[in-house]
């Protein structure tokens, strides 16, 4: 699965312009079912836009892929605990 950069995400400015995933491609951030997105999570830890990215994903209920260093399940747990 690839990110559709023509959608709302593609129109973002600020943190998205610093997003490492925008430079390297979306594949590691949307792993095949059953695979752990270890590489994507490592990349996110070095991304200057990580916090804003996570806030965006939570605010927009992004269901798929790694955002802000958290997997889909980790974001679900974070929402439930909030
Ligand atoms: S935190 Fe990760 S998913 Fe978010 S913009 Fe940075 S590299 Fe991309």
């Amino acid at each position: 699965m690839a990110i559709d950069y023509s959608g709302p995400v593609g129109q973002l400015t600020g943190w998205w312009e610093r997003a490492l995933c925008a430079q390297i491609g979306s594949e590691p951030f949307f792993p095949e079912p059953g695979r752990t997105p270890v590489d994507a999570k490592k990349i996110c830890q070095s991304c200057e836009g990580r916090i804003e990215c996570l806030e965006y994903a939570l605010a927009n209920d992004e269901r798929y892929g790694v955002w802000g260093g958290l997997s889909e399940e980790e974001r679900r747990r974070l929402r439930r605990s909030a």
Side-chain angles (χ1 to χ4, degrees), residues 7-30:
V9 171
Q11 297 164 19
L12 295 175
T13 59
W15 66 270
W16 183 247
E17 292 173 352
R18 292 174 281 136
L20 290 178
C21 57
Q23 299 169 28
I24 65 168
S26 62
E27 284 76 15
F29 299 86
F30 296 91

Side-chain angles (χ1 to χ4, degrees), residues 43-65:
I43 294 165
C44 291
Q45 294 309 311
S46 301
C47 180
E48 292 179 17
R50 188 174 69 82
I51 300 301
E52 294 99 323
C53 173
L54 180 57
E55 289 173 345
Y56 173 87
L58 294 172
N60 291 281
D61 200 22
E62 291 288 352
R63 300 280 169 110
Y64 304 104

